Amino acid sequence: SKTTKEFTDKIDTLISGYGKIDEAFYDELEEILITADLGFDITMELIESLREKVKEVKTDDPHQVKVLLKELIINILSTGNRELQVEPPPAVVLVVGVNGVGKTTTIGKLAHYFKQQHKEVMLAAGDTFRAGAIDQLEVWGQRNQVPVIRHQEGSDPAAVIFDAIHSAKARNCEILICDTAGRLHNKKNLMNELGKIFRVVDREYPEARKEVLLVLDATTGQNALQQAKVFGEVAQLTGIVLTKLDGTAKGGIVLAITKSMGTPVKMIGVGEQLEDLQPFDPSSFAEALLGDTNETRIADDIKI
Amino acid sequence: MIFEGLSEKLQNTLSKLKSKGKLTEKDVKEAMREVKLALLEADVNFKVVKDFIKRVSDRAVGDEVMESLTPGQHVIKIVNEELTALMGSSQSKLTFSSKPPTIYMMVGLQGSGKTTTCGKLAKHLKKQQKSPLLVACDIYRPAAIQQLKTVGGQVDVPVFSMGDGTSPVHISKAAVEHANRQGLDTVIIDTAGRLHIDELLMEELQQIKAAVKPQEILLVVDSMTGQDAVNVAEQFHEQIGIDGVILTKLDGDTRGGAALSVRAVTQKPIKFAGIGEKIDEFEPFHPDRMASRILGMGDMLSLIEKA
Ligand SMILES: Nc1nc2c(ncn2[C@@H]2O[C@H](COP(=O)(O)OP(=O)(O)OP(=O)(O)O)[C@@H](O)[C@H]2O)c(=O)[nH]1
Ligand SMILES: Nc1nc2c(ncn2[C@@H]2O[C@H](COP(=O)(O)OP(=O)(O)OP(=O)(O)O)[C@@H](O)[C@H]2O)c(=O)[nH]1
Ligand SMILES: [Mg+2]
Ligand SMILES: [Mg+2]
């Protein structure tokens, strides 16, 4: 459509408009990176490193400059281990994040992802707060034909997780995925509640491998960095799931996060259906960030 | 925290300006760089920032300032004036239809807070002696109807639903008839979250609009939204036509620059703010407070007041 077109090949238009590299070229690069939500600091650092690289390799070909920039971005995004650590079983996956980012939906997709690998999965309805949250997870459980451990709305989430762990042990379940209520990172009491859940997991399930996934909405701007920092203080985050990449937002804030915290992006969400979850690929992400192909949306670029 | 550092730097630059007797173009440029940074850090869209800085700079290097006895203070005043002009200065109220029921329709991206806000708005209207009906038109998201029913129960407001097997256009029409029969004077339609580039679902909104002619279509926007806020707002406004905005999750620590972006591209007022998950954590939106939140400096305002 017309709209999607506008966000397209920004960088290619830029490149074709430039015979060689000058200040205006860098200015426009800066604009592309900032509008992709990278944030000012990282954008400036990237441009600086790029200038150095350009000098080093003595190029004035805009196409090559783009390749250099892409390499710099891939470099940052390639930190850490991007594999979900669920082998050998048992494993527990805790899913956390602020309100409405896509935690519950991601759990539904993860269950599908693991089931495709012929793993035994169970879900725990650890969001006992939000209206309809338990029923929502129940629907995802049915879609995947996996059991969902639930208590009543308003009950203690740590107790749900406790029950789920014992149930997982009894049934020899390989992967237990726990939903948690959305919470803003600046709410002390809610973050403490999360701490309690983690303690239950550590105490009751020491033998399990742990994945603690922070779900971030690609539409979110600079605040995502703060989210990652504060959730990272309460929990040993092992990875990030970046959702809603099927929209026009680029999710560039993950660069600042992986750079400063080293937490890798492991999976991306590209829609609302079961199969709309994919392993994160730094190269396609960088490509989409710079709007390389004629497809504008990162999701389209990344779809394998 | 980065934000605090940044606003401190901005304050320093601006107060340096304040104490200057005579300004050079370079002074103004330096100050504008800090303002630009602060706005970008607050997630105000790049283009909106660029336009803003240009307007302020043009005025700041113009005669108006050069002839002022306190040019530094004058620049600060201009920043504030332009920011307030962008944000809108007065609080904007909800409108009512002369022929009840008054219909409001919530639209927006996935997870922005529509369903929760429906409940909050219903409660707000009940306090004004209205009798609202909540309408469950999200037939896609798992348990969306159940969520609205629970929310309706919390505020003691009836919820109209026809399950997830009937089209939202049909549901909304039937709901309005139901409200008429029951003598309910307000109808609040909850719609499914959707992407602004989803042509089918955007068309569905157009059809609901054509079918029930809502008094107001309210775009629900997450205050943590980044640069993309302009695309979202622009597309919803272009394709559906919105009458106002509700900004949610302002109880977080985001600066909320999306508010400026949305305002700049739609020219529509932000009417309410969501300030928590609970049903009564909802209030009329104050544009002036938002302006100072975005720049992260209540103190700057007092600087200006002294100017
Ligand atoms: N387009 C798109 N929508 C998504 C994606 N992931 C989740 N959603 C939608 O985002 C909305 C919120 O998703 P949830 O899974 O309920 O989010 P949550 O984080 O569990 O929300 P809370 O529990 O309320 O904090 C739903 O409408 C989902 O369908 C995605 O990758 N793309
Ligand atoms: N902290 C906070 N959370 C909010 C606010 N408004 C909504 N939420 C939360 O945000 C999440 C999403 O809210 P919903 O009302 O389900 O959003 P929605 O737009 O209806 O979502 P979809 O129907 O999936 O598109 C829930 O966890 C809400 O409790 C707010 O003002 N502050
Ligand atoms: Mg959830
Ligand atoms: Mg909803």
Side-chain angles (χ1 to χ4, degrees), chain A residues 103-104 127 130 133 136 179-180 182:
Chain A
K103 295 175 292 300
T104 309
D127 179 358
R130 210 209 63 211
Q136 185 188 0
D179 196 10
T180 62

Side-chain angles (χ1 to χ4, degrees), chain B residues 85-265:
Chain B
L86 240 184
M87 203 64 246
S89 46
S90 63
Q91 209 251 304
S92 184
K93 295 222 160 62
L94 208 59
T95 62
F96 299 94
S97 165
S98 53
K99 198 175 135 278
T102 300
I103 302 167
Y104 304 109
M105 182 171 154
M106 301 289 175
V107 302
L109 291 183
Q110 287 95 344
S112 58
K114 296 172 293 300
T115 307
T116 311
T117 304
C118 282
K120 291 175 172 179
L121 188 65
K123 179 154 188 198
H124 173 85
L125 289 166
K126 251 184 90 167
K127 277 195 205 143
Q128 301 180 16
Q129 319 309 323
K130 304 280 175 200
S131 48
L133 175 70
L134 289 166
V135 185
C137 276
D138 181 354
I139 59 168
Y140 310 102
R141 167 170 168 175
I145 299 173
Q146 188 50 45
Q147 184 187 359
L148 191 70
K149 282 185 177 162
T150 306
V151 165
Q154 285 169 3
V155 292
D156 198 19
V157 164
V159 177
F160 184 88
S161 81
M162 298 174 78
D164 58 10
T166 311
S167 87
V169 182
H170 185 80
I171 299 172
S172 54
K173 271 199 274 194
V176 175
E177 282 163 24
H178 178 82
N180 272 324
R181 272 197 308 275
Q182 301 286 315
L184 300 168
D185 57 17
T186 317
V187 173
I188 303 172
I189 301 176
D190 183 26
T191 66
R194 65 202 70 213
L195 292 172
H196 50 294
I197 51 173
D198 186 329
E199 286 169 16
L200 264 179
L201 284 184
M202 290 304 273
E203 204 177 302
E204 178 192 278
L205 290 182
Q206 289 164 0
Q207 287 169 0
I208 299 178
K209 178 182 179 181
V212 302
K213 308 205 170 43
Q215 171 76 11
E216 295 205 16
I217 296 178
L218 297 164
L219 179 67
V220 180
V221 178
D222 184 328
S223 58
M224 294 177 277
T225 310
Q227 295 287 319
D228 204 41
V230 290
N231 300 327
V232 174
E234 198 167 58
Q235 283 308 310
F236 270 94
H237 192 40
E238 238 177 74
Q239 297 186 45
I240 319 294
I242 62 164
D243 302 286
V245 175
I246 299 182
L247 205 59
T248 62
K249 309 181 196 175
L250 271 170
D251 45 324
D253 59 3
T254 179
R255 285 246 179 275
L260 260 190
S261 304
V262 168
R263 184 58 222 206
V265 295

Side-chain angles (χ1 to χ4, degrees), chain A residues 1 3 7 31 34-35 37 40 99-100 129-132 135-136 139-140 153 182 184-187 219-223 226-227 244 246 248-249 272 297, chain B residues 1 36-37 40-41 43 46-47 50 109-111 141-143 146-147 150-151 195-197 199 224-228 231 235 238 249 251-254 277:
Chain A
S1 70
T3 8
F7 313 111
E31 173 173 348
I34 285 190
T35 46
D37 285 317
F40 193 79
N99 308 84
F129 179 76
R130 210 209 63 211
D135 292 321
Q136 185 188 0
V139 172
W140 285 108
E153 213 171 294
L184 291 176
H185 50 286
N186 61 335
K187 310 246 160 134
T219 323
T220 307
Q222 300 305 299
N223 193 250
Q226 206 56 28
Q227 292 171 20
K244 309 188 193 176
D246 46 328
T248 51
E272 300 184 77
R297 294 178 299 156
Chain B
M1 290 218 269
K36 174 181 153 188
L37 267 184
L40 286 177
E41 204 60 43
D43 290 319
F46 191 87
K47 288 207 180 63
K50 239 165 112 174
L109 291 183
Q110 287 95 344
R141 167 170 168 175
Q146 188 50 45
Q147 184 187 359
T150 306
V151 165
L195 292 172
H196 50 294
I197 51 173
E199 286 169 16
M224 294 177 277
T225 310
Q227 295 287 319
D228 204 41
N231 300 327
Q235 283 308 310
E238 238 177 74
K249 309 181 196 175
D251 45 324
D253 59 3
T254 179
E277 294 187 71

